[in-house]
């Protein structure tokens, strides 16, 4: 610590001597009095006598690093680049597990009569005596009624046949829950035997009823030859 103070004092002396010498030189160039020259000599003598005291000191230790500066602001967003080339098709994925089969309700019916039915004084619901098919047993032959087991769309078709020996031609109504859907009428033809038909795709809800009605004074079946039929099946569930 003492060594540092001594060197600091010597440095201050050198600075003061240099200042006096510079001032004296300035006065000499302006032609001042001879005392000033004496002063210059004396000052120079002081400078010469103290020359050895103004040696350069040892280099100090490096200072500490300063604090980091703040982050710069974000630059502007550049323009959108060109689209890259389309990649190749990846490998095919693994086959998934086999699913469960979809639930499906099978419904179909096709019925006819094998006995005489007709020539009534009022419109009557037509019962049936024989079934070609009654899948699911949703058709009641005695009442002539089909009851839908599920919500869905059903395809319905009616075929009626006129005989030459029948007193009157067939004329029937298709009723859905008591409301008229369509009718089939085989009347006034010039030929002795004839056939008429009609069909419909019908939306039915579970529990809905469907049947045929014979118009008063008309015939539906004369013999047991199964001339007329009433059929239907489920297209798909809803």
């Amino acid at each position: 610590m003492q060594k540092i103070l001594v060197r600091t004092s010597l440095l201050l002396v050198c600075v003061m001597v240099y200042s006096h010498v510079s001032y004296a030189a300035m006065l000499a160039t302006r032609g001042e009095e001879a005392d000033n020259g004496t002063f210059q000599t004396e000052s120079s003598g002081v400078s010469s006598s103290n020359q050895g005291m103004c040696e350069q000191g040892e280099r100090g230790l490096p200072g500490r690093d300063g604090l980091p500066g703040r982050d710069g602001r974000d630059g502007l967003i550049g323009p959108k680049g060109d689209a890259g080339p389309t990649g190749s098709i990846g490998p095919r994925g693994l086959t998934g597990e086999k699913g469960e089969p979809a639930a499906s309700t099978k419904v179909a019916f096709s019925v006819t009569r094998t006995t005489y039915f007709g020539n009534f004084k009022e419109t009557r619901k037509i019962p049936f005596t024989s079934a070609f098919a009654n899948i699911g047993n949703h058709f009641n032959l005695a009442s002539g009624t089909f009851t839908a087991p599920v919500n869905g769309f059903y395809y319905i078709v009616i075929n009626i046949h006129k005989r030459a020996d029948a007193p009157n031609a067939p004329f029937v109504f298709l009723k859905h829950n008591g409301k008229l859907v369509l009718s089939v009428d085989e009347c006034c033809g010039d030929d002795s035997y004839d056939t008429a038909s009609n069909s419909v795709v019908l939306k039915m809800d579970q529990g809905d009823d469907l049947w045929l009605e014979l118009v008063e004074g008309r015939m539906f079946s004369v013999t047991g030859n199964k001339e007329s039929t009433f059929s239907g099946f489920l297209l798909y569930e809803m």
Side-chain angles (χ1 to χ4, degrees):
M1 182 67 179
Q2 187 176 3
K3 185 177 180 180
I4 295 175
L5 292 174
V6 171
R7 290 187 175 183
T8 303
S9 298
L10 291 174
L11 180 61
L12 291 174
V13 170
C14 291
V15 172
M16 292 175 64
V17 170
Y18 178 79
S19 298
H20 282 293
V21 171
S22 298
Y23 181 71
M26 181 184 67
L27 292 178
T29 57
R30 291 183 180 181
E32 296 292 336
E33 295 179 355
D35 291 338
N36 293 336
T38 303
F39 174 79
Q40 181 181 10
T41 302
E42 292 175 354
S43 298
S44 300
V46 174
S47 176
S48 176
S49 63
N50 290 285
Q51 183 176 3
M53 300 174 60
C54 297
E55 295 178 357
Q56 182 177 359
E58 296 179 2
R59 185 174 184 178
L61 298 175
R64 296 180 180 179
D65 295 336
L67 297 176
R70 295 181 180 179
D71 295 337
R73 295 181 179 179
D74 295 338
L76 299 177
I77 298 175
K80 185 176 180 180
D82 297 333
T86 303
S88 58
I89 299 175
R92 184 174 182 179
L94 299 176
T95 303
E97 297 181 359
K98 185 176 181 180
E100 297 293 331
S104 179
T105 303
K106 296 180 179 180
V107 182
F109 69 90
S110 183
V111 296
T112 187
R113 283 195 62 89
T114 56
T115 59
Y116 180 94
F117 187 84
N119 201 23
F120 301 107
K121 294 181 179 180
E122 69 283 338
T123 298
R124 288 191 182 184
K125 190 175 183 180
I126 303 175
F128 293 85
T129 59
S130 178
F132 299 105
N134 191 9
I135 299 174
N137 294 317
H138 302 295
F139 194 94
N140 187 310
L141 291 174
S143 65
T145 303
F146 168 72
T147 302
V150 294
N151 299 342
F153 284 90
Y154 294 78
Y155 178 74
I156 308 298
V157 59
I158 305 163
N159 290 287
I160 55 177
H161 178 68
K162 173 189 174 185
R163 287 181 56 87
D165 55 353
N168 293 301
F171 185 12
V172 298
F173 295 141
L174 175 65
K175 295 291 187 73
H176 177 206
N177 291 338
K179 295 181 179 180
L180 178 65
V181 178
L182 54 79
S183 61
V184 187
D185 186 9
E186 174 51 56
C187 176
C188 309
D190 295 334
D191 50 347
S192 299
Y193 295 89
D194 210 348
T195 299
S197 66
N198 207 342
S199 61
V200 65
V201 174
L202 187 63
K203 178 181 178 295
M204 298 182 70
D205 294 329
Q206 184 179 15
D208 284 1
D209 291 330
L210 197 68
W211 65 84
L212 293 182
E213 291 182 357
L214 180 65
V215 176
E216 68 274 8
R218 297 298 189 96
M219 300 295 300
F220 183 77
S221 175
V222 177
T223 68
N225 294 330
K226 303 179 182 179
E227 300 100 344
S228 301
T229 60
F230 179 30
S231 306
F233 56 88
L234 174 66
L235 287 173
Y236 62 89
E237 296 182 47
M238 293 175 51

